[in-house]
Amino acid sequence: MTKRFKTLLILLLLLSSESIAFSPEYERQMYIGCYGNSKQYLGVNEAKKYCLCTINMLSEKYSDEQMDLIFKKKPNEILKATQFSTLHCEKK
């Protein structure tokens, strides 16, 4: 019984973690937008690092669909939902 429970728990964790991550195409689109906006302020190398960091953090918390819903909100709500990633990645 315990072995079955552990197996089920591992399976659920694996499946749930996949559903939260961005799809490769969504990640690519996010990177293009981020990099295009950031390189003029941060420079090429720093913009690349910053965007990859930010996208990875957002992908750990949100799915494509969740991000689409966030981007439909008012600017201050978008900032509130994504601020954790930008603050973290600005420090790196």
Side-chain angles (χ1 to χ4, degrees):
M1 181 87 167
T2 305
K3 186 175 181 177
R4 236 185 246 174
F5 178 73
K6 287 181 184 178
T7 304
L8 180 61
L9 182 62
I10 290 170
L11 243 166
L12 287 173
L13 288 172
L14 288 173
L15 292 175
S16 67
S17 67
E18 286 180 23
S19 65
I20 293 176
F22 293 155
S23 68
E25 178 59 24
Y26 199 88
E27 234 177 71
R28 188 176 76 77
Q29 291 300 321
M30 290 277 292
Y31 180 80
I32 290 169
C34 177
Y35 183 76
N37 290 327
S38 300
K39 71 178 178 180
Q40 62 187 345
Y41 303 108
L42 302 174
V44 173
N45 291 331
E46 290 302 311
K48 182 178 179 178
K49 289 179 201 174
Y50 171 77
C51 291
L52 290 173
C53 176
T54 303
I55 292 166
N56 286 334
M57 290 199 70
L58 291 172
S59 182
E60 288 177 11
K61 186 170 182 175
Y62 301 116
S63 67
D64 297 3
E65 294 80 16
Q66 290 169 322
M67 279 307 299
D68 286 341
L69 290 174
I70 290 169
F71 285 142
K72 290 179 182 175
K73 295 181 178 189
K74 295 178 182 177
N76 63 332
E77 292 175 290
I78 296 170
L79 180 62
K80 186 177 177 182
T82 60
Q83 190 172 25
F84 74 97
S85 64
T86 55
L87 290 176
H88 173 80
C89 295
E90 285 174 354
K91 294 177 184 177
K92 285 190 153 199

